Amino acid sequence: MNKDNRKELIRAYKEKAPDAGVYRFISKESGKYLIDNTMDLKGIANKLAFGVKIGAGNMLPPEMAKEAKQYGIETITFEILEKVDIKPEMTKDDIKEENDVLLSLWLEREDL
C-alpha cells in the first residue's frame, strides 16, 4: 500500500457516517439485560463475537461480563434495538445527541 492510498483510506474512514444506535445485551439464562447506545454498533457486536471466539466475556460491560462468567459467554446475545436515522446535514454532535435521545426513550419504555 503506497502512502497516497493509505491517506485516502484514512480520509474515507474519518468521513464515513457512524453506525449509531441503541442496543441490548441479553443473558438467555437469567433474562437480565443491558440497554445502551453507541456510535459504533458493529464494534459492539464484534466485541461479543470476539468474546465468544476466545470463550471469555471480560470485554463486555461489567453487568454482562458477570453473566457471561456465571453462565458462559455463549448465553449472551446482542440485539440492535434502533438505529439513528442519519441525514447528510447532521454533524457528529447532532448524531450523538439523537442517539442519546433514542437511549432515553428506550430506557423509559423499559422503566429503567
Side-chain angles (χ1 to χ4, degrees), residues 33-46:
Y33 61 91
L34 169 79
I35 296 176
D36 205 353
N37 67 351
T38 183
M39 295 292 279
D40 184 13
L41 288 166
K42 187 175 181 179
I44 298 296
N46 286 341

Side-chain angles (χ1 to χ4, degrees), residues 8-25:
E8 178 61 27
L9 289 172
I10 290 171
R11 185 192 60 74
Y13 174 79
K14 287 181 178 180
E15 289 178 359
K16 90 175 175 132
D19 186 23
V22 179
Y23 66 91
R24 173 173 32 204
F25 283 122

